[in-house]
Amino acid sequence: MMSLRKRLGRGLMAVLCVIFIAHWIAADWIIRTAAEKQMANRLADDGYSLLETLAYSDNDQVTFNNFHISSVYDRRLSGHYYLVKVDTRAYPSPSLLDFPLAVEPVAPDQSRLYHLTGPNQSPLLVLGLGAVRFGHRVNISIAEDLSAVDHDITSIRAAYFGLTLLILFSAIGLLRWDIQRSLRPLNAVGSELEQVTSGTRQKIESDVPEEIQPLVQEINHLLEVLARRLQQSRTAMGNLAHALKSPMTLLLRTTEDPLFDTRIDLRLQVNTQAETIQRYIERELKRARIAGDQQASAAFNPRQEVIALKKTLRTIYADKPLDIQVTVPNYLIHFDREDMMEILGNLLDNACKWANKRIDVEITLSDLAVIRVADDGPGCLTEDLTHLTQRGQRLDESVQGHGLGLGIVLDIVDTYHGSLQFGRSKTLGGFLATVSLPIRQ
Amino acid sequence: MRLLVIEDDLNLSLSLKMDLGNAGYVVETTHDGELGEFLGATEHYDAVILDLGLPRMSGLEVLRQWRQADNHTPVIVITARDAWFEKVDGFKAGADDYLCKPFHPQELLARLQAVLKRVHNLNQAKLRVYGIELDEDEQTVTVDGSNIQELTAIEFRLLRYFMLNAGKVLSKTQLGEHVYSESTEPDSNVLEVYVKRLRKIVGNDLIHTRRSQGYFFGLKS
């Protein structure tokens, strides 16, 4: 669908163009009419002056004289003409030079304004006056060449057209700017929605115009519902998984029963199946636990947590002399502590499993939180590395040792739209896992 | 060996009692956090098996109260909660080991033995040379009992290497191995920079430059 800005822009532009064209036509008509009206007044003056000079002569004739009107009527083809008709006799002005002016007859006491073509194809404005004097019908037609006026009108018209265009374009420009300005809140909402998708925001908070307020409210409501559903299903999943654990322990214990000593195959089978179930529970439970949002998370100090994790791992791997070195910022950051600990715990646990002696943990914070965990173990072959990062791979089943842990790290990283890379450590020579996560500043 | 098992699941508790009993331990059980806390505080046990989800007082709280009261009985936490932050919280509260349900009884026995053995020969996490005390867990140093100072990974590694090899001349190549990290490129100046920083921390009298040989950590004879 066409963008709202284009749609509004085009509509307004079309409307503006129509209005301005209509306006220009009307203005043009008014200018022309005004000019002709003024000319007609002058013609009427001259016409009535002629009418007043009409006199009755002895031989039953009506005469007139043109002393009272301008001498311009005497100059040849001056553009000012008259034609006086008394009954059927016509008395043209000297300026007409015998040009047959096809005047229209006018009823007595009436006047009429019309256009004619005069000498040299010049356009004429003609005023016809009708009268009855001394028993004779008199028709006086006064004409004036419109060429000069037309010329003036054309230049006025052009100037006015230019002005109209200028106003039209500036109006379009202003409207465009205004549309852009008015649509700005929509853009703000759009970018907030993007943040919602990427998990750095939980709801749309910007101030929006009334028209889209209901839409934003609805989206916020949906987001809330979604969050609640997610929470419910997570809780349900967690409860189920926790509830299953004690019975699972008892089940495993049952296989230790001496009765099974005679049926070692059965014991093995039960054990294998129980372990499979346990792995599924584990994976789903951990997945369900991923918070995946930074909005609600309280701040924590990564250094303190990593040091605590280091102590934990040294206890768990008490039989292995491990040298775990930590380079982590010592200030509060906003990130879900549980997710961060799960990533670090799994990567470090993996490193502890494989390292000979040395492990390096490093967290750097800029636009991204980058976590690097390197060890001096055997590392991983290049082909296995690509295998590890393949999406949808059942890491827990396909790669022994780099098991469940890396799978859950990948799940968390995916939830945060981050990236997880594996490679070989330059300094320690073993496995290097690099996690990059976008963080909210 | 006398053990206390605090576990609210009666079936599991019974089976644990049987297994541990068969392995030669004297086992007492309780199903309640508060009572467990009381027993642990008043009776002497060689080790405690502690569940975290307990009625009336959570396992973590029980553990915290014991540790606050300077009760250092070894504790193995058994729990269905297996997220890393929960494990870390468990260790922070003072657990000696952390076993996630479901588990094989043999695994519990093995861990129990390991914990008991560890308690008898304590794992020393502090290194002391010439009045300088290095805490390996916290990555911190204390010079002549003054304030605790934090060290970066490289400073820590370098200082520990110096301290472990006090009195020996160490070549730049030997030391170089300890100053590179994932995000820095190897550079001959880096070592000198770190040595300078360490001198600032531990004082100028301890790290000496031996021209064309390397560095020497110790008091000048």
Side-chain angles (χ1 to χ4, degrees):
Chain A
M1 210 162 128
M2 206 194 292
S3 87
L4 216 53
R5 209 183 64 190
K6 263 192 191 160
R7 205 174 250 255
L8 279 172
R10 281 191 193 174
L12 278 170
M13 216 149 44
V15 169
L16 268 181
C17 284
V18 168
I19 287 175
F20 271 91
I21 288 170
H23 165 81
W24 180 75
I25 290 173
D28 185 56
W29 179 80
I30 287 167
I31 292 169
R32 201 180 167 81
T33 315
E36 284 190 2
K37 180 89 183 161
Q38 209 181 1
M39 197 186 269
N41 284 343
R42 220 163 42 233
L43 292 178
D45 282 348
D46 287 351
Y48 284 111
S49 299
L50 273 178
L51 204 59
E52 274 160 19
T53 64
L54 286 176
Y56 189 70
S57 68
D58 300 337
N59 49 356
D60 191 25
Q61 283 208 333
V62 177
T63 60
F64 70 95
N65 66 58
N66 58 3
F67 295 147
H68 298 291
I69 58 172
S70 165
S71 63
V72 78
Y73 291 97
D74 294 336
R75 215 164 53 233
R76 313 162 110 218
L77 299 176
S78 62
H80 294 258
Y81 314 104
Y82 64 78
L83 180 66
V84 180
K85 273 188 169 175
V86 179
D87 295 329
T88 51
R89 293 195 55 183
Y91 305 94
S93 67
S95 57
L96 260 176
L97 281 184
D98 295 333
F99 180 83
L101 205 59
V103 297
E104 292 170 18
V106 182
D109 295 328
Q110 296 216 328
S111 67
R112 191 164 172 187
L113 197 65
Y114 56 95
H115 292 94
L116 268 185
T117 311
N120 301 332
Q121 299 295 314
S122 55
L124 296 179
L125 181 71
V126 184
L127 176 74
L129 298 169
V132 177
R133 290 285 145 93
F134 319 109
H136 296 276
R137 286 176 65 115
V138 179
N139 254 285
I140 295 177
S141 304
I142 310 282
E144 190 175 334
D145 192 344
L146 277 171
S147 312
V149 176
D150 266 353
H151 187 72
D152 285 349
I153 287 179
T154 311
S155 53
I156 290 174
R157 227 186 220 173
Y160 191 72
F161 184 67
L163 185 68
T164 308
L165 274 185
L166 189 73
I167 294 175
L168 179 65
F169 283 133
S170 24
I172 288 174
L174 281 173
L175 273 173
R176 264 213 157 132
W177 172 76
D178 189 51
I179 288 170
Q180 241 163 21
R181 198 186 54 88
S182 316
L183 291 181
R184 215 170 287 154
L186 277 185
N187 293 341
V189 170
S191 56
E192 284 197 13
L193 260 180
E194 260 171 42
Q195 286 177 326
V196 169
T197 327
S198 67
T200 50
R201 186 177 275 279
Q202 270 188 326
K203 60 186 224 175
I204 299 170
E205 278 159 342
S206 65
D207 209 11
V208 292
E210 253 172 69
E211 289 83 351
I212 55 169
Q213 190 71 46
L215 193 72
V216 167
Q217 267 170 3
E218 207 49 44
I219 290 176
N220 278 341
H221 177 67
L222 279 176
L223 285 173
E224 236 169 71
V225 170
L226 193 70
R228 212 168 39 228
R229 292 263 160 85
L230 201 64
Q231 196 57 45
Q232 280 168 355
S233 69
R234 268 183 195 157
T235 315
M237 183 89 82
N239 288 344
L240 176 67
H242 282 310
L244 282 174
K245 284 189 169 178
S246 287
M248 285 292 293
T249 309
L250 282 174
L251 191 66
L252 286 177
R253 202 222 152 233
T254 311
T255 62
E256 308 290 325
D257 196 285
L259 272 179
F260 276 104
D261 287 348
T262 49
R263 293 297 305 273
I264 290 177
D265 55 326
L266 271 185
R267 171 183 286 167
L268 199 70
Q269 207 175 346
V270 174
N271 269 343
T272 321
Q273 293 313 315
E275 268 159 25
T276 313
I277 295 173
Q278 182 187 343
R279 204 162 53 213
Y280 285 139
I281 292 175
E282 209 87 335
R283 177 80 188 254
E284 287 314 315
L285 183 60
K286 292 203 167 182
R287 233 186 222 168
R289 209 184 274 134
I290 301 172
D293 73 65
Q294 301 170 29
Q295 191 71 18
S297 50
F300 73 100
N301 182 316
R303 186 183 149 93
Q304 283 172 8
E305 297 296 336
V306 176
I307 296 281
L309 186 62
K310 173 179 162 181
K311 285 186 195 167
T312 304
L313 284 160
R314 275 165 61 94
T315 318
I316 294 175
Y317 291 90
D319 47 346
K320 206 169 173 180
L322 287 172
D323 167 16
I324 304 172
Q325 287 310 310
V326 178
T327 311
V328 175
N330 191 6
Y331 51 77
L332 296 179
I333 65 166
H334 279 276
F335 202 91
D336 189 89
R337 173 178 170 255
E338 299 176 10
D339 287 349
M340 180 66 97
M341 291 301 277
E342 198 59 33
I343 293 176
L344 284 166
N346 282 306
L347 291 180
L348 271 170
D349 185 42
N350 196 47
C352 288
K353 244 178 239 161
W354 292 89
N356 287 324
K357 195 167 184 302
R358 286 172 61 171
I359 294 168
D360 269 331
V361 199
E362 205 180 290
I363 300 181
T364 49
L365 297 167
S366 54
D367 296 345
L368 293 170
V370 180
I371 304 166
R372 289 193 198 84
V373 177
D375 64 57
D376 62 349
C380 206
L381 291 174
T382 321
E383 50 261 44
D384 291 338
L385 287 178
T386 50
H387 190 60
L388 276 177
T389 39
Q390 255 169 27
R391 301 283 145 144
Q393 267 290 338
R394 309 204 54 138
L395 286 164
D396 46 340
E397 287 169 3
S398 52
V399 186
Q400 279 298 313
H402 292 90
L404 193 64
L406 291 187
I408 192 69
V409 172
L410 194 59
D411 283 341
I412 298 174
V413 168
D414 267 351
T415 318
Y416 282 93
H417 304 275
S419 74
L420 171 63
Q421 277 142 21
F422 302 117
R424 190 164 281 280
S425 163
K426 276 183 297 179
T427 51
L428 298 185
F431 195 67
L432 168 69
T434 311
V435 174
S436 313
L437 298 168
I439 53 169
R440 192 167 57 93
Q441 290 298 317
Chain B
M1 288 276 190
R2 194 168 172 224
L3 300 182
L4 175 64
V5 173
I6 313 178
E7 161 66 65
D8 62 330
D9 186 318
L10 288 177
N11 288 326
L12 186 59
S13 171
L14 256 171
S15 84
L16 282 178
K17 186 172 183 174
M18 227 152 78
D19 289 326
L20 293 167
N22 288 343
Y25 295 98
V26 178
V27 183
E28 282 172 37
T29 60
T30 173
H31 316 301
D32 168 318
E34 246 176 41
L35 189 59
E37 199 276 330
F38 176 76
L39 283 175
T42 49
E43 299 282 316
H44 174 79
Y45 296 101
D46 290 292
V48 179
I49 315 283
L50 178 65
D51 185 18
L52 287 191
L54 289 173
R56 296 183 56 192
M57 187 188 278
S58 84
L60 274 186
E61 196 46 45
V62 172
L63 190 51
R64 244 177 241 133
Q65 292 204 4
W66 285 345
R67 296 308 188 225
Q68 260 169 25
D70 264 343
N71 178 352
H72 292 287
T73 310
V75 172
I76 296 182
V77 167
I78 50 169
T79 175
R81 316 218 158 250
D82 61 349
W84 275 100
F85 80 94
E86 288 164 331
K87 283 186 203 170
V88 169
D89 287 347
F91 278 102
K92 267 186 185 168
D96 294 274
D97 208 344
Y98 198 96
L99 192 57
C100 293
K101 289 182 194 172
F103 53 82
H104 279 285
Q106 284 107 325
E107 199 181 350
L108 178 62
L109 286 173
R111 299 276 190 106
L112 187 58
Q113 275 157 14
V115 164
L116 288 171
K117 205 164 123 195
R118 217 185 302 149
V119 172
H120 289 295
N121 42 21
L122 265 176
N123 198 340
Q124 186 59 262
K126 283 184 182 169
L127 190 59
R128 269 187 214 94
V129 182
Y130 303 124
I132 292 167
E133 188 176 300
L134 196 65
D135 186 320
E136 301 213 22
D137 284 330
E138 295 282 349
Q139 250 172 256
T140 54
V141 67
T142 316
V143 181
D144 294 329
S146 62
N147 285 347
I148 295 168
Q149 288 188 62
E150 253 175 44
L151 296 175
T152 68
I154 296 170
E155 286 164 0
F156 176 81
R157 252 194 198 137
L158 200 57
L159 183 57
R160 188 180 49 184
Y161 193 68
F162 271 132
M163 287 170 77
L164 288 173
N165 294 284
K168 287 184 208 159
V169 175
L170 299 168
S171 76
K172 283 193 177 184
T173 342
Q174 277 173 306
L175 291 165
E177 282 177 41
H178 297 265
V179 300
Y180 304 127
S181 78
E182 285 308 318
S183 58
T184 55
E185 288 295 321
D187 180 342
S188 62
N189 289 328
V190 174
L191 181 64
E192 282 164 39
V193 171
Y194 278 104
V195 168
K196 210 177 269 175
R197 280 208 226 164
L198 281 185
R199 278 191 179 132
K200 240 180 226 167
I201 294 167
V202 302
N204 282 328
D205 318 330
L206 277 174
I207 304 172
H208 311 282
T209 312
R210 286 282 164 89
R211 198 160 295 163
S212 76
Q213 290 182 61
Y215 294 95
F216 168 80
F217 183 86
L219 298 167
K220 252 191 180 153
S221 47

